[in-house]
Amino acid sequence: MPRVLPDYKEESRKQILLVATRLILEKGYKNVNMGDIAAEAGISRPTLYLYFKDKKDLLMATLQNMIEDVGDALEISLASSDTSPDGGFFDRVHELYGDKFAIFFEIINATGIDPDLFNEIGRLHEKLLERMTTHIETRIPACKERMDPYIVSNALLALFIGLQIRRKIGLPQDQVRESWNTVLHALIGDISQKQTDRI
């Protein structure tokens, strides 16, 4: 029996996640089944189950990938030596996901969703918050003198989610970017500037 090369398997997994995300956004989580996803991905249903044990497992992998990518983009943004504290965050996330981030809203608004999904979404958000907090503490140690980095992380995540909603209902991307940049500068920019001045 031929072995599946690891690179090919990972590429296939990514493709399945992209298809699943698109179908969930088009039809709604409750209206998509594993057969739909397999057919759209061009694989058999048994092959799909080699990658994911069920629809919930597939969904959680989709959400986890998105959270990790958003975390990566935010870390790059916060670590940017750019004069702007934004560091291209919203542009980077928009390029990665565009309207796909709305999958979180689809899950949260769906009726009859397994409570475990909500708990898992909460766990993923907490993981992102911990990562953000650690990065702020490392990158901007002076932040702790003025405010709790965990609270700053919560505020930034809430702002990000709110701006995604605003963008979805028509706020232009340049205004989303400007809003993020303004608040990020107010929360962190002056602290990091003071820290730089001390050196």
Side-chain angles (χ1 to χ4, degrees), residues 2-195:
R3 293 189 313 164
V4 177
L5 297 173
D7 288 348
Y8 177 79
K9 187 171 182 179
E10 185 55 32
E11 194 54 45
S12 296
R13 186 177 185 277
K14 286 178 185 174
Q15 188 59 38
I16 292 166
L17 291 174
L18 285 173
V19 167
T21 302
R22 181 172 53 75
L23 287 177
I24 290 167
L25 287 172
E26 285 174 6
K27 299 180 178 184
Y29 176 71
K30 297 290 276 183
N31 301 320
V32 175
N33 62 48
M34 293 291 271
D36 297 331
I37 294 165
E40 193 72 19
I43 58 175
S44 69
R45 194 174 171 132
T47 300
L48 179 59
Y49 284 104
L50 294 175
Y51 290 89
F52 303 98
K53 65 180 181 180
D54 54 27
K55 187 169 81 165
K56 181 174 153 186
D57 182 43
L58 194 156
L59 175 68
M60 291 321 305
T62 300
L63 298 180
Q64 184 165 0
N65 277 0
M66 291 179 74
I67 285 282
E68 286 175 3
D69 287 345
V70 169
D72 289 345
L74 187 59
E75 284 188 8
I76 291 167
S77 172
L78 291 173
S80 174
S81 57
D82 218 330
T83 52
S84 157
D86 168 71
F89 173 71
F90 266 92
D91 291 334
R92 196 172 289 111
V93 170
H94 185 70
E95 184 181 323
L96 282 169
Y97 289 111
D99 290 334
K100 293 183 185 80
F101 199 83
I103 195 169
F104 282 98
F105 309 124
E106 161 62 27
I107 300 307
I108 290 168
N109 290 325
T111 55
I113 291 292
D114 182 343
D116 288 344
L117 281 178
F118 287 106
N119 292 337
E120 189 62 18
I121 289 171
R123 189 190 69 75
L124 289 174
H125 276 118
E126 193 58 38
K127 188 176 172 185
L128 177 59
L129 286 169
E130 288 170 8
R131 186 174 170 185
M132 289 166 62
T133 301
T134 300
H135 191 75
I136 289 170
E137 287 173 340
T138 305
R139 171 88 171 111
I140 314 166
C143 182
K144 287 190 281 190
E145 297 170 15
R146 217 176 96 186
M147 60 187 94
D148 183 341
Y150 182 76
I151 291 173
V152 172
S153 297
N154 268 287
L156 290 174
L157 183 58
L159 174 65
F160 173 74
I161 292 169
L163 286 173
Q164 287 299 320
I165 294 170
R166 292 284 294 123
R167 190 180 61 75
K168 183 75 175 164
I169 59 175
L171 187 68
Q173 183 71 9
D174 60 336
Q175 289 182 30
V176 168
R177 187 187 311 111
E178 184 180 351
S179 299
W180 172 264
N181 192 30
T182 300
V183 175
L184 185 61
H185 183 74
L187 281 174
I188 293 177
D190 60 331
I191 296 173
S192 59
Q193 184 58 49
K194 285 175 186 170
Q195 183 173 299

